[in-house]
Amino acid sequence: RQTMNTQRRTFRGRAGPTDSRLPKYNARRRKVQRSKDDDGTKNNKYADDDERKRQAETASAHQQDENDELDSEMEDSVDVEMGPVADDQEDHGASAPIESSPLTASDTISGEAPQHNPLDDEVSHLMKRIKNNREGFSLSKDGLVNAQEYQMNVLNAVKNCIAEWRGILGHFSTEIPPETKRSSALAIFELLQQSLQCGPLTGAKPGYFKRCGSEVATIVHAFLLQTIASEEEALDLGFTDKQAVAVETWTRAAFKAAENKKPPSKSVLQKQKAANQSKEKKDKKKKKK
């Protein structure tokens, strides 16, 4: 069994004058006396390294001088070889000026900018109009709850976009590419779908008329009959078969809700009340100004 050494010194953070591991405060280190060789130089272990460095520097300097001499010789030889050629080129350049060839009629026609296509302008204007309307619908949810506001700001805007697209189809019927017609018709359908899913018709499904009341349903039914009265008209606008069936389904649902003559739901009434109060406050502020 091993016993603990109780006389072991513990380090407490200070070194006393009797500490055997550290030199005393007044202890001095002896200077090493270097012996001299026979040639009179000191015996230094770094002498060989210094000598190697001096030799390497001398060799690099000689190599640099040789490289400079070779470069200067090459430059002289190049100047000698290129001198007559440059003179010859100057003589020929002075005697034979470059003549400009006249442009032909075909060159001027090919260099002109491509002709402007009015169809692109019309489609671009329609796409911008659809984009602005959709952004307005999504940002003005609470302000479109009332039937009058919804009809004026949503349904009328969609009606104008559909009329513009119908006018483009009538004027450029044979010039519209199939891809342009397909993408534009899809944008019109998405705008129509969003219009039946905002304001008093806000919900998960477009064209859900069981909460909005008979007043809104009557307005939407009249709107659909004025814009897209049948599936044939929807197909003429470029809608697919499923899209045309969806429009016909919305029309029948609006007509059914209008005949029931039910009031709006409590949630819709609360939204309409809050919208009316905010509108009254805005009108009072305008009158004060």
Side-chain angles (χ1 to χ4, degrees):
R1 183 178 179 182
Q2 295 180 357
T3 59
M4 178 186 271
N5 185 7
T6 57
Q7 296 180 354
R8 183 178 179 185
R9 186 180 64 83
T10 58
F11 179 71
R12 299 184 183 280
R14 296 180 182 178
T18 59
D19 194 348
S20 61
R21 293 188 179 182
L22 298 175
K24 294 182 179 181
Y25 65 93
N26 58 355
R28 296 181 179 179
R29 295 182 180 180
R30 295 180 181 178
K31 294 182 180 180
V32 180
Q33 298 292 335
R34 300 186 182 276
S35 61
K36 293 184 179 181
D37 295 336
D38 296 337
D39 55 355
T41 60
K42 291 184 178 181
N43 187 8
N44 189 359
K45 63 179 181 180
Y46 299 106
D48 296 338
D49 295 339
D50 295 339
E51 185 64 25
R52 291 193 195 96
K53 289 181 180 179
R54 285 194 294 270
Q55 291 178 0
E57 291 176 357
T58 305
S60 63
H62 288 303
Q63 185 68 27
Q64 185 65 28
D65 294 340
E66 292 178 359
N67 293 335
D68 293 341
E69 291 177 0
L70 290 174
D71 293 339
S72 61
E73 290 177 0
M74 290 293 293
E75 290 176 357
D76 296 340
S77 62
V78 169
D79 293 340
V80 171
E81 292 176 358
M82 294 298 294
V85 176
D87 297 339
D88 191 15
Q89 289 179 351
E90 290 178 358
D91 295 339
H92 286 290
S95 60
I98 299 175
E99 296 181 358
S100 59
S101 58
L103 295 175
T104 60
S106 60
D107 295 336
T108 56
I109 293 173
S110 62
E112 290 180 354
Q115 293 182 358
H116 193 65
N117 189 4
L119 174 62
D120 296 338
D121 292 340
E122 296 292 337
V123 174
S124 177
H125 179 266
L126 177 62
M127 292 298 107
K128 289 180 181 179
R129 195 173 184 180
I130 292 173
K131 180 181 178 182
N132 294 334
N133 287 328
R134 296 195 65 180
E135 290 179 355
F137 298 164
S138 60
L139 295 175
S140 304
K141 293 180 180 179
D142 297 334
L144 302 175
V145 180
N146 293 328
Q148 290 77 17
E149 299 290 336
Y150 174 71
Q151 182 181 11
M152 182 174 59
N153 297 318
V154 177
L155 298 182
N156 288 343
V158 177
K159 185 190 298 184
N160 294 332
C161 290
I162 294 175
E164 183 177 355
W165 173 237
R166 187 177 279 112
I168 293 173
L169 290 174
H171 190 272
F172 303 96
S173 57
T174 59
E175 301 177 11
I176 302 176
E179 186 64 27
T180 303
K181 185 177 181 179
R182 190 182 303 110
S183 61
S184 301
L186 178 60
I188 290 291
F189 178 79
E190 290 176 349
L191 178 65
L192 178 63
Q193 183 178 3
Q194 187 177 0
S195 68
L196 300 180
Q197 204 172 359
C198 66
L201 298 176
T202 301
K205 295 181 179 180
Y208 188 78
F209 298 96
K210 293 183 179 181
R211 291 189 298 265
C212 64
S214 60
E215 182 182 2
V216 176
T218 304
I219 294 173
V220 173
H221 182 257
F223 158 75
L224 291 174
L225 290 178
Q226 290 175 3
T227 54
I228 307 173
S230 62
E231 293 186 10
E232 289 76 10
E233 291 188 9
L235 295 174
D236 293 339
L237 292 175
F239 291 0
T240 61
D241 294 336
K242 291 183 179 180
Q243 293 172 354
V245 171
V247 173
E248 187 67 22
T249 303
W250 295 336
T251 305
R252 289 197 302 267
F255 176 73
K256 185 177 180 181
E259 282 188 341
N260 291 333
K261 296 183 180 181
K262 290 184 178 181
S265 63
K266 293 182 180 180
S267 60
V268 176
L269 288 175
Q270 290 177 357
K271 290 180 180 178
Q272 290 178 354
K273 186 178 180 180
N276 292 329
Q277 290 177 357
S278 63
K279 186 179 180 181
E280 289 176 359
K281 290 180 180 179
K282 291 180 180 178
D283 294 339
K284 288 180 181 180
K285 289 181 180 179
K286 288 181 180 179
K287 289 179 179 180
K288 289 180 180 179
K289 291 180 179 180

